[in-house]
Amino acid sequence: VGHPLYPRGDPRAAALLKALKPKGAMAAAIDAAEQAAGETANIDMALAALTVAHKLPREAPFMIFAAGRMAGWIAHAMEQTASRRPIRPRAAPEACPTRAARVCPRFPETGALWGMPP
């Protein structure tokens, strides 16, 4: 339960649990965990609930999370390529010594963003 990026609650978990509508023992387990932690369910708990409710394979939560993460990475790459600007400058690779720079000094002649093709 809880997530450092979502101190007011994980919206991914909220959306999944709203659609799943856990009942009975599952709802009680989620409520008990939230009460014990003093925080709301996170995506890990919601994916576990989905897995149990639909009798998915044990690896399903990881696979579903990874698929979502990959879609996010692709969306970020597309947005960054289209805008020609980093969307997360604080997360610049260490190969780029001036992390706040928009154009990596390693590739100034190309205008590449941290090694992205121009």
Side-chain angles (χ1 to χ4, degrees):
V1 292
H3 193 289
L5 292 180
Y6 305 112
R8 294 187 180 138
D10 188 336
R12 305 164 302 172
L16 182 54
L17 291 172
K18 182 179 177 184
L20 187 59
K21 298 178 179 81
K23 293 178 179 44
M26 180 61 65
I30 293 169
D31 289 342
E34 289 176 333
Q35 292 298 318
E39 298 185 83
T40 60
N42 61 18
I43 191 63
D44 298 319
M45 180 170 281
L47 288 172
L50 176 74
T51 299
V52 170
H54 291 283
K55 298 180 174 115
L56 300 175
R58 184 180 175 129
E59 305 82 18
F62 174 75
M63 292 176 178
I64 295 167
F65 185 86
R69 178 60 54 94
M70 286 186 286
W73 285 340
I74 292 167
H76 281 259
M78 291 171 67
E79 180 180 345
Q80 187 165 298
T81 300
S83 70
R84 305 288 304 144
R85 298 180 58 204
I87 57 175
R88 288 189 173 172
R90 72 179 193 281
E94 290 186 25
C96 187
T98 55
R99 294 170 67 86
R102 290 188 180 171
V103 176
C104 183
R106 265 182 62 198
F107 304 98
E109 69 284 352
T110 65
L113 299 173
W114 296 316
M116 260 183 9

